[in-house]
Amino acid sequence: MRKFELLRAFSEMFDFKTVTDENGNEYVIYANSVLNEIGSELKDKTQFEAVENHIHLIDNVKKYDFDELIEIGKVLGETQMSALKSKYPDKEFCVFVTVDIGESMIIRFHQVWENEPVYYNPDDFNSEKTRVLMFRK
């Protein structure tokens, strides 16, 4: 990823908008999403937001970068959570940062929806090759 593209990805991590379905459910998504409306209520709101709200920060993560990327991920996850809570103080969110050797470093978020589990259980993914960090407020 070129430096310019990386800076764009970082700046897009902190710019959000809302879209509403026909039942008044308000979804928080990245502002650059092409979605401006949602027809009917979604069955899995958590999955929708988590899939819609993901950004690949780094591809082809190297083993020697893994520990440093975990530390960077902690800062990015907390920073994105702060941005979300600043704009939507009455909503609860989960932010996930995934670092996977040989794969990608990804940040994603979703609201905490009533009667829906969070997108990831970080304990199910933590290994020598993969780490999932979760931030919830």
Side-chain angles (χ1 to χ4, degrees), residues 10-125:
F10 283 135
S11 68
E12 290 172 351
M13 286 175 34
F14 308 107
D15 193 13
F16 316 105
K17 68 180 180 181
T18 57
V19 293
T20 306
D21 67 22
E22 65 186 14
N23 293 327
N25 294 303
E26 190 174 74
Y27 303 87
V28 177
I29 59 176
Y30 286 120
N32 67 343
S33 172
V34 297
L35 295 174
N36 291 312
E37 62 183 337
I38 298 173
S40 60
E41 182 174 348
L42 300 170
K43 290 182 181 180
D44 191 334
K45 299 171 190 73
T46 299
Q47 181 179 12
F48 167 76
E49 284 185 336
V51 170
E52 182 68 24
N53 295 324
H54 82 280
I55 295 176
H56 285 248
L57 299 172
I58 297 175
D59 290 320
N60 196 20
V61 171
K62 305 296 184 209
K63 183 177 182 177
Y64 56 82
D65 292 330
F66 186 73
D67 291 335
E68 188 172 354
L69 289 175
I70 296 300
E71 294 306 310
I72 292 168
K74 290 175 183 176
V75 172
L76 292 176
E78 287 287 349
T79 304
Q80 186 173 62
M81 180 61 77
S82 293
L84 285 161
K85 290 302 288 181
S86 175
K87 187 159 184 178
Y88 306 101
D90 296 331
K91 296 184 181 295
E92 185 177 357
F93 294 94
C94 280
V95 173
F96 298 95
V97 178
T98 306
V99 182
D100 193 357
I101 295 173
E103 296 295 326
S104 301
M105 179 180 190
I106 298 170
I107 191 165
R108 68 177 72 233
F109 74 90
H110 65 78
Q111 291 178 75
V112 176
W113 292 95
E114 189 175 335
N115 299 319
E116 291 190 17
V118 297
Y119 190 70
Y120 284 135
N121 176 353
D123 294 336
D124 292 344
F125 295 92

Side-chain angles (χ1 to χ4, degrees), residues 97 99 121-133:
V97 178
V99 182
N121 176 353
D123 294 336
D124 292 344
F125 295 92
N126 290 339
S127 69
E128 292 180 15
K129 181 183 179 287
T130 304
R131 185 77 39 83
V132 175
L133 306 171

